Amino acid sequence: KPSYGGLATWKCQMAGQAQISISIFSTDPVWSSIGKLAVPSMVTMIVMMLYNMADMFFVGLTGDVAQVAAVSMVTPAFSLIMTFSTLVSGGGCTLIARSYGEHKPEQVKVYSSLCFIASVGLGFLLILVVFLLKDQVIALLGANAEVWDHVDAYLSILVLGSPIMMFTATFSSIMRSDGQAKQSMLSNMI
């Protein structure tokens, strides 16, 4: 059972991390702290970009231009999912940081739990909205008859994974705000 910091700390403890690395914010030199936080964050962004490029590469190997176009057309939906998770994590990280500063570990647990509920809840809400309005969403993405079925299939798969993607992105940010940038990077690579 976590002793401090809610779900984000629990994930770090599960990775063998016994305590939160608050020293990175309070006693380490500024440039050292920036390096410890920024480099893993940049590596995470590069890995995410490589995942998206790999999607396009393997779909491109099919030689079907319509499938490549479908992947490109669904990219804004992926961006929207990441935007919602950034919204949740941005607010959550701010509240968590304030709670740490006020020495209120119980509030950290509450905010971590609320971030979990919000990220997964928004993911399921997105599934509901997209499946109820799928034809309108596909038309909004700019699909024509030639790519419609491919966009439909790719969008469906992407949206069904949105609760997991939003949870992962949200808690990756919360782990970084905990000072666990390296563990956050490793969890994103899995």
Side-chain angles (χ1 to χ4, degrees), residues 93-168:
C93 289
T94 302
L95 294 170
I96 288 168
R98 185 170 42 174
S99 297
Y100 276 139
E102 294 171 349
H103 303 287
K104 295 181 178 176
E106 291 304 314
Q107 282 299 108
V108 172
K109 292 178 186 179
V110 168
Y111 293 138
S112 295
S113 298
L114 288 174
C115 286
F116 168 75
I117 293 167
S119 63
V120 173
L122 279 172
F124 282 112
L125 181 64
L126 189 61
I127 290 172
L128 181 68
V129 168
V130 168
F131 278 96
L132 287 175
L133 304 170
K134 190 183 284 187
D135 288 342
Q136 292 87 341
V137 171
I138 294 171
L140 184 66
L141 291 172
N144 59 20
E146 184 181 353
V147 295
W148 192 277
D149 291 337
H150 298 299
V151 171
D152 186 355
Y154 192 61
L155 179 65
S156 297
I157 292 167
L158 181 74
V159 170
L160 285 172
S162 63
I164 295 167
M165 288 190 309
M166 291 178 70
F167 169 78
T168 303

Side-chain angles (χ1 to χ4, degrees), residues 170-185:
T170 298
F171 275 92
S172 178
S173 294
I174 289 174
M175 287 174 70
R176 280 193 300 273
S177 75
D178 252 355
Q180 305 298 327
K182 191 182 299 181
Q183 288 80 1
S184 170
M185 175 188 71

Side-chain angles (χ1 to χ4, degrees), residues 4-172:
Y4 188 73
L7 291 173
T9 302
W10 178 76
K11 284 177 80 174
C12 294
Q13 287 173 342
M14 294 304 290
Q17 193 73 16
Q19 297 178 356
I20 298 172
S21 300
I22 295 297
S23 67
I24 198 169
F25 300 114
S26 58
T27 60
D28 289 2
V30 173
W31 289 109
S32 172
S33 298
I34 289 172
K36 287 178 184 174
L37 294 172
V39 171
S41 296
M42 289 186 293
V43 169
T44 298
M45 288 182 214
I46 290 169
V47 168
M48 298 287 276
M49 181 185 65
L50 290 173
Y51 284 157
N52 290 333
M53 288 173 61
D55 277 351
M56 186 63 77
F57 174 77
F58 287 111
V59 171
L61 288 177
T62 66
D64 187 355
V65 177
Q67 289 184 33
V68 173
V71 171
S72 296
M73 290 179 153
V74 175
T75 299
F78 177 79
S79 297
L80 183 66
I81 292 168
M82 292 296 104
T83 300
F84 283 133
S85 64
T86 301
L87 174 77
V88 172
S89 64
C93 289
T94 302
L95 294 170
I96 288 168
R98 185 170 42 174
S99 297
Y100 276 139
E102 294 171 349
H103 303 287
K104 295 181 178 176
E106 291 304 314
Q107 282 299 108
V108 172
K109 292 178 186 179
V110 168
Y111 293 138
S112 295
S113 298
L114 288 174
C115 286
F116 168 75
I117 293 167
S119 63
V120 173
L122 279 172
F124 282 112
L125 181 64
L126 189 61
I127 290 172
L128 181 68
V129 168
V130 168
F131 278 96
L132 287 175
L133 304 170
K134 190 183 284 187
D135 288 342
Q136 292 87 341
V137 171
I138 294 171
L140 184 66
L141 291 172
N144 59 20
E146 184 181 353
V147 295
W148 192 277
D149 291 337
H150 298 299
V151 171
D152 186 355
Y154 192 61
L155 179 65
S156 297
I157 292 167
L158 181 74
V159 170
L160 285 172
S162 63
I164 295 167
M165 288 190 309
M166 291 178 70
F167 169 78
T168 303
T170 298
F171 275 92
S172 178

